[in-house]
């Protein structure tokens, strides 16, 4: 009888080990499927973002007093997250003969469709601009070296930019 009890306990423990092994494998499979789904969802989000980004002509920021306009044009955006862009800074001078001043900056950066970082050189110093896209590629905020606040850049069409540019030059 002792032998039977002993084998019963061994069989019960063996059964528990097999069940535990099966349960761990099932959990591992579920985790892998969730990870695969998460990766697919992230891939689709990035594809949608970069498709949208490639259709944007440029981004415009205009100061409240309209003395400053910034136009950022994405020249190249790779799906791996690398960006190259041009920033046109237009400032009013207050001088009647030359009412505004333009400065162009070359930007290189990275994005994951949520955050964005650009790197440029301002007055010989390396400068980093950091920001975040707002639900897609239609707008983003970006730090700027002349202010402590982030500036809101919004998507503009080529026609809208040209109209704003001509209006700015006439100020």
């Amino acid at each position: 009888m002792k032998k039977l009890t002993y084998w019963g306990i061994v069989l019960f423990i063996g059964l528990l080990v097999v069940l535990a092994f099966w349960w761990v494998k099932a959990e591992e499979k579920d985790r892998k499927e969730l990870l695969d789904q998460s990766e697919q969802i992230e891939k689709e989000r990035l594809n949608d973002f970069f498709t949208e980004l490639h259709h944007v002509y440029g981004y415009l920021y205009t100061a409240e007093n309209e003395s400053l306009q910034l136009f950022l044009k994405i020249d190249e955006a790779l799906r791996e997250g690398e960006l190259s862009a041009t920033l046109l800074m237009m400032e009013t001078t207050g001088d009647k003969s030359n009412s505004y001043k333009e400065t162009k900056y070359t930007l290189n950066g990275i994005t994951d469709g949520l955050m964005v970082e650009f790197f440029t050189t301002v007055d010989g110093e390396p400068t980093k601009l950091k920001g975040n896209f707002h639900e897609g590629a239609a707008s983003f905020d970006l730090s700027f070296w002349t202010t402590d606040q982030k500036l809101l850049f919004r998507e503009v069409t080529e026609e809208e930019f040209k109209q704003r540019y001509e209006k700015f030059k006439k100020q």
Side-chain angles (χ1 to χ4, degrees), residues 28-72:
E28 189 177 291
K29 182 181 175 192
D30 288 347
R31 264 192 301 267
K32 186 177 180 332
E33 287 174 2
L34 284 174
L35 184 60
D36 289 347
Q37 286 175 351
S38 297
E39 288 175 359
Q40 184 61 33
I41 290 168
E42 179 63 7
K43 212 181 269 188
E44 288 173 12
R45 183 192 68 80
L46 283 171
N47 283 337
D48 291 347
F49 172 80
F50 281 102
T51 298
E52 186 179 342
L53 187 64
H54 287 120
H55 287 94
V56 173
Y57 174 71
Y59 296 92
L60 187 67
Y61 165 79
T62 303
E64 286 181 23
N65 62 6
E66 296 191 6
S67 63
L68 172 70
Q69 247 184 197
L70 303 170
F71 177 67
L72 192 142

